[in-house]
Amino acid sequence: MAQELTKGLFITFEGPEGSGKSTHSKRLYRDLLNEGYDITRTSEPGGTALGEGIRELLLKTDSVRLDNMSELFLFEADRAQHVREMIKPSLKANRIVLCDRFNTATFAYQGYGLGMRMDLIEELDALATDGVRPDLTVLLDVDVPTGMARAKARGPADRMERRDIKFHEDVRRGYLALAALEAEKIRVVAAGDDIDRVYDSVKKEVYGLIERYKRTG
Ligand code: TMP
């Protein structure tokens, strides 16, 4: 049976490398689709034709030199396009948008990881997001050695994964600090556990939100 919502819901998945974001968001996508919800599943960087090009430059291309400032602008350029081309129209149509990574990743990776100025990130990010904010962020938390081992098992390391352990520890610490600042919106789920148990916790957070905006009768 088709399920309707009283507004679009923007749900993002975040976490350090190898936290299992896409595994859980894919599973959730299938479950919600089966229950009759209208859903858009997407990710950053990516999600649009421009975003796919930017993703390639940011993560895969070794021959391109990239200063930290250029890196920040590229993530925000990807987001500016993604918000306008895909996220806003989907939310306007009262759909659920599931997005692997969004702006919390920039504060964690470029802010805490690279040590870039937070006020600068905030300013650029406000231009890119244009008022779009997640209704819920599921932060899948995993310790760095476990996450990096999972990422390694998936295939060759990308540009981010090749950064040193300290960078990745700073990113994880950053995510947890950001979650502590916004405990209602950024929900931490321990992701080192058995995969079904992790999924149950993810589901609990997401369904808690959806129930509040379900159209009845
Ligand atoms: P993933 O899609 O496999 O998670 O890879 C995306 C990578 O890009 C990951 O290492 C996190 C990183 N990233 C940032 O550094 N800043 C950002 O704003 C976003 C969206 C991702």
Side-chain angles (χ1 to χ4, degrees), residues 17 21 43-45 55 59 71 75 78-79 100-103 105-106 109-110 154 158 160-161 163 167:
E17 307 299 326
K21 294 176 316 309
S43 59
E44 285 193 3
R55 181 180 182 89
L59 300 175
E71 174 176 315
F75 278 114
D78 164 66
R79 185 160 304 133
D100 288 5
R101 298 198 188 278
F102 192 63
N103 61 349
T106 315
Y109 278 79
Q110 282 65 50
R154 249 187 345 228
D158 63 29
M160 291 290 165
E161 289 163 2
R163 287 184 175 158
F167 172 84

Side-chain angles (χ1 to χ4, degrees), residues 9 19 21 33 35 59 86 99 108 110 115 128 148 184 209:
L9 293 178
S19 60
K21 294 176 316 309
L33 206 60
E35 288 171 37
L59 300 175
M86 185 170 208
C99 186
Q110 282 65 50
M148 291 308 277
E184 277 299 304
L209 174 75

Side-chain angles (χ1 to χ4, degrees), residues 107-152:
F107 292 98
Y109 278 79
Q110 282 65 50
Y112 284 88
L114 291 180
M116 296 190 77
R117 271 174 43 202
M118 288 292 181
D119 61 330
L120 181 74
I121 300 177
E122 260 162 34
E123 220 168 296
L124 277 181
D125 192 64
L127 293 173
T129 52
D130 198 28
V132 170
R133 305 190 54 167
D135 294 286
L136 170 70
T137 295
V138 178
L139 171 54
L140 291 156
D141 179 50
V142 69
D143 67 77
V144 172
T146 305
M148 291 308 277
R150 284 183 190 163
K152 216 174 192 169

Side-chain angles (χ1 to χ4, degrees), residues 139-142 188-194 197-198 201:
L139 171 54
L140 291 156
D141 179 50
V142 69
V188 183
V189 170
D193 241 14
D194 168 72
R197 271 221 297 272
V198 176
S201 306

Side-chain angles (χ1 to χ4, degrees), residues 1-5 27-39 96 199 203-204 206-208 210-211 214-215:
M1 202 184 75
Q3 301 279 357
E4 286 188 23
L5 299 170
R27 193 163 161 187
L28 194 63
Y29 173 75
R30 281 198 303 267
D31 282 354
L32 289 168
L33 206 60
N34 283 336
E35 288 171 37
Y37 289 97
D38 291 327
I39 318 189
I96 296 175
Y199 184 63
K203 227 173 153 176
K204 201 169 125 219
V206 171
Y207 279 69
I210 292 174
E211 285 302 320
K214 231 163 131 167
R215 204 187 284 283

